[in-house]
Amino acid sequence: QAQLVESGGGLVQPGGSLRLSCAASESRFSRYVMGWYRQVPGKQRELVATITPISSTKYADSVKGRFTISRDNAKNMVYLQMNSLKPEDTAVYYCNANGDITYWGKGTLVTVSP
């Protein structure tokens, strides 16, 4: 069964960096638009960044200039490099694959706190 598995979350101080990874179980995900979303308890899940199969990218205004999404289709991997992290970036981050079917990972928690 196709799946997405996130990793790389954790606790980081404000101003720090983290790199999230998303491992896709099948090579067909290389043809999908991949994305990172985040959700805080009690709030709706929100888009962070997306990347097309040819690596065109889009970012939420709140992360532009700080976060970078990338993909390695040969390895079936998607990454989110997060720099200059702020407490308001604290959330569960989810990997998303959007194609003929939409897939979600189970999420990885990012906590930004002194």
Side-chain angles (χ1 to χ4, degrees), residues 14-68:
S17 297
L18 279 177
R19 188 195 196 203
L20 304 184
S21 299
C22 172
S25 61
E26 298 181 6
S27 61
R28 62 187 169 96
F29 285 117
S30 66
R31 302 190 297 273
Y32 284 37
V33 174
M34 303 296 293
W36 288 96
Y37 289 71
R38 66 187 181 186
Q39 189 170 22
V40 175
K43 293 190 176 181
Q44 284 193 329
R45 192 171 297 187
E46 65 174 7
L47 171 70
V48 175
T50 60
I51 186 167
T52 70
I54 57 170
S55 294
S56 295
T57 59
K58 185 182 297 185
Y59 296 93
D61 287 344
S62 59
V63 307
K64 280 181 182 176
R66 300 188 298 122
F67 291 10
T68 302

Side-chain angles (χ1 to χ4, degrees), residues 45-95:
R45 192 171 297 187
E46 65 174 7
L47 171 70
V48 175
T50 60
I51 186 167
T52 70
I54 57 170
S55 294
S56 295
T57 59
K58 185 182 297 185
Y59 296 93
D61 287 344
S62 59
V63 307
K64 280 181 182 176
R66 300 188 298 122
F67 291 10
T68 302
I69 188 171
S70 61
R71 66 192 298 164
D72 185 336
N73 289 335
K75 295 182 179 179
N76 299 331
M77 296 291 295
V78 180
Y79 306 99
L80 185 69
Q81 178 66 43
M82 306 186 295
N83 299 328
S84 302
L85 282 161
K86 304 175 181 180
E88 52 263 43
D89 295 317
T90 296
V92 177
Y93 284 71
Y94 296 90
C95 183

Side-chain angles (χ1 to χ4, degrees), residues 1-5 23-29 32 97 101 103-104:
Q1 185 175 358
Q3 60 179 348
L4 304 172
V5 179
S25 61
E26 298 181 6
S27 61
R28 62 187 169 96
F29 285 117
Y32 284 37
I101 301 174
Y103 295 88
W104 291 95

